[in-house]
Amino acid sequence: MAVRTPDPDPSDRDDETPRDPLRGFGRDGQGGSFGSPAPGSAANPGWLSDIELAEARRRLPILYVEAVPVRTDGTGAVTEVGILLRATPLGEITRTIVSGRVRYGETVRDALFRHLENDLGPMAFPLLPPQPVPFTVAEYFPLPGISAYHDDRQHAVSLAFVVPVTGTCEPRQDALEVTWMSPQEAASDNLAAEMEGGRGTLVRHALASVGALR
């Protein structure tokens, strides 16, 4: 199964053109020359068409944010980890975490909040500090074996965060459900085998960074 760095909001666009479900993740508008705004997207001069995005992925590393949602007790210790069940446009079902690109002109904090809301719903109430600091930087390469992470479309550089959520999670768009697991279950080999792109390793690093592995 191909493993990819997902863009969880493929229908989050500046125009009303219907999304083609057979296309890949991460549509960035329609038309325009490379780097120019597409029709209806003048607010974001970095908006890219599908062709432009494919060309950028072929030539440049793409910046992502990823988030491991957790629930904590009164002392701040992690008690549960949220793992997403996601459907890809090709009909594949896979386990993953919150993930997506950083837009042109967007702060890392805003990108992180946007993708958390897109995947977990507006009532998840993530707790983000004014200046989020990643627990690691994950590098996804199109060729397997260079790092622990693999994305067959591109070279992606991902800032990874552990984010406590305090509200009710109602997954939407291509996120089908969120399963809450104990830290031990989230770090298990069984779950790692179900996760795409080496994200089982990323979840383990996340739990180790907050002292949740025993």
Side-chain angles (χ1 to χ4, degrees), residues 65-67 108-116 128 132 161 163:
V65 290
E66 295 187 281
V108 168
R109 188 181 190 277
D110 287 346
L112 192 58
F113 184 85
R114 174 170 60 87
H115 289 298
L116 284 162
L128 293 177
F161 302 83
V163 179

Side-chain angles (χ1 to χ4, degrees), residues 55-116:
E55 182 68 11
R57 281 174 161 158
R58 190 173 69 87
R59 294 173 177 264
L60 301 168
I62 306 295
L63 180 62
Y64 280 75
V65 290
E66 295 187 281
V68 179
V70 299
R71 296 197 186 278
T72 60
D73 62 17
T75 66
V78 171
T79 58
E80 293 182 302
V81 182
I83 302 297
L84 294 176
L85 187 70
R86 171 171 282 141
T88 74
L90 300 178
E92 300 167 343
I93 303 297
T94 184
R95 293 282 187 180
T96 189
I97 57 176
V98 174
S99 176
R101 293 195 306 274
V102 179
R103 289 174 174 170
Y104 177 86
E106 183 177 43
T107 67
V108 168
R109 188 181 190 277
D110 287 346
L112 192 58
F113 184 85
R114 174 170 60 87
H115 289 298
L116 284 162

Side-chain angles (χ1 to χ4, degrees), residues 2-7 23-27 53-60 62 64 89 99-101 140-143 150-156 196 199:
V3 287
R4 302 182 173 189
T5 304
D7 300 304
R23 298 288 185 90
F25 284 118
R27 298 200 63 179
L53 178 59
E55 182 68 11
R57 281 174 161 158
R58 190 173 69 87
R59 294 173 177 264
L60 301 168
I62 306 295
Y64 280 75
S99 176
R101 293 195 306 274
Y140 292 82
F141 291 94
L143 297 177
H150 173 234
D151 184 326
D152 60 1
R153 302 167 304 167
Q154 62 186 341
H155 175 194
E196 60 178 2
R199 284 185 176 79

Side-chain angles (χ1 to χ4, degrees), residues 125-201:
F125 299 139
L127 299 179
L128 293 177
Q131 294 292 334
V133 177
F135 66 85
T136 194
V137 177
E139 294 185 89
Y140 292 82
F141 291 94
L143 297 177
I146 299 177
S147 77
Y149 311 107
H150 173 234
D151 184 326
D152 60 1
R153 302 167 304 167
Q154 62 186 341
H155 175 194
V157 177
S158 177
L159 308 178
F161 302 83
V162 177
V163 179
V165 295
T166 59
T168 301
C169 296
E170 297 180 355
R172 54 185 185 164
Q173 298 190 17
D174 62 313
L176 302 178
E177 68 176 39
V178 57
T179 303
W180 292 99
M181 306 179 178
S182 69
Q184 291 71 32
E185 290 173 321
S188 68
D189 291 339
N190 289 338
L191 181 65
E194 298 179 20
M195 300 194 75
E196 60 178 2
R199 284 185 176 79
T201 299

